[in-house]
Structures are given as structure tokens and as C-alpha cells.
Amino acid sequence: MQFGYTIIYVPDVAASLAFFEQAFGMTRRFLHESGTYGELETGATTLAFADHSLGHSNFAGGHVAAHTSAQPLGMEIALITPDVPTAHKQALGSGATELAPPSTKPWGQTVSYLRCPDGTLVELCTPILAG
């Protein structure tokens, strides 16, 4: 078994791709001509976005839309960076909402939390040093 994709259901796939490009410096792999599915270059695992209409067609009972939820969903995307404060500031300038500013955890890792305009919860963090 190999982890292949994280797919986030969003109201506007192109807008989510553009936000991640601007806020986090990621590169768009592609956006389907229908505008309902797109992917970012993220390394071995794909970060993808799909329109809520695809989610509704996949799940008979529907799904929770992160952008309309008052609280962040109980899952996050973690992005590793050597400079959390600078990345955090860049994301805020691109339209993210701050949930927790950069802080140093007891194990030495610097971490912050943001909510993207599409509702996605993002953790920015330094690498965990093996000890």
C-alpha cells in the first residue's frame, strides 16, 4: 500500500490552486478543463482539489464543506518549511486566517496554524529533528 493523494473538496478549484501557489509557493501540475479537479506539485504524494459537485456525486449522503464550517475540520495539511514565521506571514498576506501564530513546541519544532479561504486547515512547521 502506498499513500497517493489527498483530495480536498472546495467551492472553486482554480482559486484554491492559485491560493496555494501564491501563499505557499507551490506549482500547479494541472487543472482539468472542466475546472472541477486540479493538482499541485508536492513531491511523492499528490495534493489535489476537487469541486464540491464531485464530492456530492461520490457520496450519496453529501459531505461537510470546510469553507462553511464554523470550526476547522478535524484534519490538516502539514507543510514543512525551515522558516515558519516568514511562511506564516506570506500566507496571511495571501488571504489565510490565523488560527495560531508561530510558536515553539516543547520538542523544539516551530509550528503555526492557518485556515485557507477554502476552509482547509494548514499547519506550517519546521522539520522534526530525530533525537
Side-chain angles (χ1 to χ4, degrees):
M1 193 71 66
Q2 178 180 336
F3 184 62
Y5 290 84
T6 295
I7 301 173
I8 302 170
Y9 292 94
V10 297
D12 184 334
V13 173
S16 291
L17 291 171
F19 173 80
F20 272 73
E21 289 170 319
Q22 181 180 356
F24 305 119
M26 294 185 166
T27 302
R28 185 179 307 204
R29 182 179 295 160
F30 78 91
L31 174 61
H32 187 269
E33 64 187 32
S34 68
T36 62
Y37 182 82
E39 296 179 353
L40 294 167
E41 294 290 347
T42 57
T45 302
T46 300
L47 178 57
F49 298 91
D51 189 81
H52 284 298
S53 63
L54 289 177
H56 293 302
S57 70
N58 291 335
F59 316 116
H63 65 277
V64 175
H67 73 286
T68 60
S69 175
Q71 293 181 294
L73 299 181
M75 66 175 85
E76 65 183 51
I77 301 298
L79 301 176
I80 300 170
T81 177
D83 187 353
V84 171
T86 298
H88 186 87
K89 184 177 178 180
Q90 174 70 30
L92 292 176
S94 297
T97 303
E98 182 177 74
L99 297 178
S103 65
T104 303
K105 298 297 185 182
W107 53 89
Q109 186 182 35
T110 302
V111 174
S112 75
Y113 293 93
L114 303 156
R115 195 163 182 193
C116 302
D118 63 18
T120 303
L121 174 59
V122 171
E123 173 187 341
L124 298 176
C125 59
T126 54
I128 295 177
L129 302 176

